[in-house]
Amino acid sequence: EVQLQASGGGLVQAGGSLRLSCAASGSTFDGYVVGWFRQAPGKEREGVSCISNSDGSIYYVDSVKGRFTISSDNAKNTVYLQMNSLKPEDTAVYYCAAKFWPTAQAVGAPSEYDYWGQGTQVTVSS
């Protein structure tokens, strides 16, 4: 079983940057797609980006393309989400999650993911 620990959130001004980390324990990310989701108050949880540990494929939703970068450090069993040019609408609790799947063609629905981190708050002030 994979345990996930998300960290790196905080308060930042619009235009600023944050790097989120998702560290795995109990298992490696081998064979998994790791996704980042976010949930703003009163809104549904939405997928932001994902990366496949199997084939290296990556996916971003349109709203973060060119601003967010997802990466994986297999030696550290950690997936990162570098967030640049942050906007107030990026404010949300960010979660990482993992599903056993070979490729990252889309983030998919939260229900597809088997393991979740605890969430980290990202607040972007205008």
Side-chain angles (χ1 to χ4, degrees):
E1 182 173 327
V2 180
Q3 288 90 44
L4 304 178
Q5 178 77 30
S7 62
L11 172 64
V12 65
Q13 290 187 332
S17 299
L18 285 172
R19 189 178 78 159
L20 306 184
S21 299
C22 178
S25 61
S27 179
T28 67
F29 281 133
D30 288 351
Y32 284 89
V33 165
V34 178
W36 284 98
F37 291 79
R38 64 187 180 187
Q39 188 165 20
K43 294 188 177 181
E44 292 187 354
R45 192 169 295 189
E46 66 166 342
V48 174
S49 180
C50 62
I51 184 169
S52 165
N53 192 264
S54 298
D55 66 6
S57 54
I58 288 173
Y59 179 87
Y60 301 99
V61 295
D62 287 346
S63 59
V64 306
K65 280 181 181 177
R67 301 189 298 122
F68 291 10
T69 303
I70 193 169
S71 62
S72 178
D73 185 335
N74 291 337
K76 295 183 177 180
N77 276 342
T78 301
V79 169
Y80 302 98
L81 186 69
Q82 177 67 43
M83 305 187 297
N84 298 329
S85 302
L86 282 162
K87 304 175 181 180
E89 51 263 43
D90 294 317
T91 295
V93 178
Y94 282 70
Y95 300 88
C96 63
K99 63 178 179 179
F100 197 76
W101 197 253
T103 190
Q105 294 180 335
V107 180
S111 60
E112 297 175 16
Y113 288 75
D114 302 305
Y115 305 104
W116 289 83
Q118 81 286 7
T120 184
Q121 176 72 46
V122 171
T123 303
V124 184
S125 63
S126 58

